[in-house]
Amino acid sequence: MILLKENQDDIFLFFCIYNKEVISIKNIIEYFYKISVLELHYKANMYFFRYGTDWYLFIPAQRTEAELLEIHQLIKNNQLYDQVIQNIDNHYLTQTKRGYYILVRKSANATNFNLESSIIQSRLSLIFVNNYQNINRTNWVEMWSKKIDYIEYQLLHIESKYPIISKSINYYIGMTEASISYLNNNFSWTDELNIRGVISHKRVVSNNFNNAMNIVVDHFARDVSEYLKYIFINNEYNYSDIDAFLRRCDLTEDDVKLIYARLMYPSYYFDLYDKIVNGNEEEKKILTLISRSVEYEIFVKNIYTMLFKVDSSIFSIGWIN
């Protein structure tokens, strides 16, 4: 009976703390955004509520103030994306006891869009990437090189803690080095001051595509490649459908080279690696990716064949021959 009473007291204390935090966040939203919150919900470190006909999210900030300003400028008239809202101080970041949060108004089209069509249509609105320095992600060689350097340094300190990663990561570092070498040898980064990109995404995931925190500016090839990885990882790929999708993309020779290079960059492995070393996933989860490495090589080789039809000058990489 005592244990039951103690558990009940713990539950009561939890709800007191929980309600106190929710009320505090409610007050912050109402003060900093001048919005009346009738019912505030909480799930997974995220607060959400309805105001008028719209749903709003109050979420942990994953981007800087400078990035958020550029994101807002980029998507403010685009109904496909969630909109970031400034507070009464004309800032996007609002400080709470839990850290910085941002307020986002959900897109009405969040569940009513076609992923492939949205990627293809992004090409209709080309952007001068130098106008968006904080969210410009076009320099793949530099970013991938830094990623490898960081991981190799990190492994010196954590190698014994993660034996599965230690045994597998050289393969994926090798893939990255092959991608870098391919770009350096086969792609000319000319006229860098006038590079045009499109609204792109850190990762292409159907339930996160509208998320403003996922927005970057990059080459059209980024989302095409990341989409292909996404359907592979989720076992949703069909080669006839992929061929039809690539034909609809109306690819240029530069697109072909960039898509091929980015397919070889194992972003899916490094994303999971980061989650594991940050304590958000168990290491054994990476075994599924490792077990499909040969399947992925075949996947890339088959897509290479499709890309070759567009640009016969595209060179293959040794590890998929």
Side-chain angles (χ1 to χ4, degrees):
M1 295 296 293
I2 295 175
L3 287 174
L4 179 61
K5 183 178 185 301
E6 287 179 349
N7 287 339
Q8 288 175 333
D9 288 344
D10 289 343
I11 292 170
F12 176 73
L13 179 60
F14 168 78
F15 278 107
C16 285
I17 295 171
Y18 167 78
N19 286 332
K20 185 177 180 181
E21 287 183 356
V22 171
I23 290 170
S24 174
I25 294 296
K26 178 178 182 293
N27 291 337
I28 287 173
I29 294 171
E30 291 186 331
Y31 174 77
F32 281 99
Y33 299 94
K34 301 305 178 186
I35 292 177
S36 178
V37 181
L38 297 178
E39 188 174 355
L40 185 63
H41 307 273
Y42 174 79
K43 183 179 181 181
N45 214 25
M46 174 185 71
Y47 301 87
F48 56 99
F49 61 94
R50 191 170 189 130
Y51 181 69
T53 59
D54 297 314
W55 280 99
Y56 288 78
L57 305 179
F58 196 56
I59 57 178
Q62 301 170 348
R63 310 297 287 268
T64 66
E65 185 74 25
E67 287 177 321
L68 290 167
L69 177 60
E70 291 185 356
I71 290 169
H72 173 72
Q73 292 171 341
L74 187 61
I75 64 173
K76 61 184 176 182
N77 295 318
N78 194 324
Q79 296 183 355
L80 178 62
Y81 296 105
D82 303 340
Q83 298 297 311
V84 288
I85 310 297
Q86 284 187 326
N87 60 31
I88 58 173
D89 297 324
N90 294 321
H91 294 151
Y92 294 102
L93 298 177
T94 298
Q95 191 165 17
T96 75
K97 290 182 178 179
R98 288 173 168 260
Y100 284 103
Y101 271 64
I102 63 167
L103 185 66
V104 173
R105 184 175 67 247
K106 289 294 293 177
S107 165
N109 298 317
T111 58
N112 186 29
F113 72 101
N114 179 277
L115 194 54
E116 288 188 359
S117 296
S118 296
I119 292 170
I120 293 168
Q121 289 170 9
S122 69
R123 183 163 228 156
L124 300 178
S125 302
L126 293 177
I127 302 158
F128 282 107
V129 300
N130 280 326
N131 292 337
Y132 298 91
Q133 288 293 327
N134 294 288
I135 58 174
N136 176 6
R137 299 293 185 272
T138 55
N139 196 343
W140 298 357
V141 168
E142 180 181 347
M143 291 188 296
W144 295 349
S145 298
K146 288 181 178 179
K147 183 71 174 181
I148 291 176
D149 290 344
Y150 173 74
I151 288 176
E152 290 179 333
Y153 171 78
Q154 194 175 39
L155 281 173
L156 295 175
H157 304 281
I158 64 172
E159 190 171 11
S160 60
K161 186 178 178 180
Y162 300 105
I164 300 172
I165 288 175
S166 297
K167 291 178 181 179
S168 63
I169 199 163
N170 284 338
Y171 172 82
Y172 295 97
I173 288 175
M175 288 177 67
T176 307
E177 290 173 340
S179 304
I180 292 171
S181 176
Y182 181 84
L183 284 176
N184 283 334
N185 293 327
N186 297 286
F187 189 82
S188 177
W189 304 90
T190 57
D191 198 16
E192 293 189 12
L193 293 177
N194 293 304
I195 293 176
R196 292 196 177 192
V198 299
I199 296 176
S200 305
H201 302 77
K202 288 183 176 181
R203 295 293 177 262
V204 174
V205 181
S206 58
N207 63 3
N208 199 40
F209 195 79
N210 312 82
N211 185 354
M213 299 304 96
N214 195 25
I215 296 293
V216 294
V217 170
D218 207 338
H219 302 287
F220 174 68
R222 181 191 186 111
D223 276 10
V224 174
S225 303
E226 293 301 327
Y227 170 68
L228 294 174
K229 295 178 195 176
Y230 169 71
I231 60 175
F232 173 85
I233 294 300
N234 288 279
N235 285 305
E236 297 173 354
Y237 69 93
N238 174 285
Y239 288 120
S240 295
D241 292 341
I242 291 174
D243 190 48
F245 168 63
L246 292 175
R247 289 175 186 276
R248 290 174 59 206
C249 287
D250 192 24
L251 301 173
T252 66
E253 291 185 5
D254 282 351
D255 291 333
V256 167
K257 293 181 176 68
L258 290 170
I259 289 169
Y260 185 53
R262 193 164 190 97
L263 281 173
M264 290 185 288
Y265 174 67
S267 52
Y268 51 89
Y269 181 93
F270 292 140
D271 288 348
L272 188 51
Y273 166 90
D274 287 337
K275 290 178 182 178
I276 292 168
V277 298
N278 289 325
N280 298 319
E281 290 285 0
E282 294 184 359
E283 187 189 18
K284 63 182 181 182
K285 190 170 182 179
I286 211 163
L287 286 170
T288 302
L289 291 181
I290 296 169
S291 68
R292 299 183 67 197
S293 59
V294 174
E295 181 189 356
Y296 188 71
E297 290 182 19
I298 296 170
F299 178 76
V300 174
K301 186 174 183 178
N302 287 332
I303 292 176
Y304 166 83
T305 302
M306 300 175 198
L307 295 174
F308 187 83
K309 297 174 185 176
V310 178
D311 178 14
S312 59
S313 69
I314 182 175
F315 291 97
S316 179
I317 293 294
W319 64 267
I320 65 167
N321 287 337

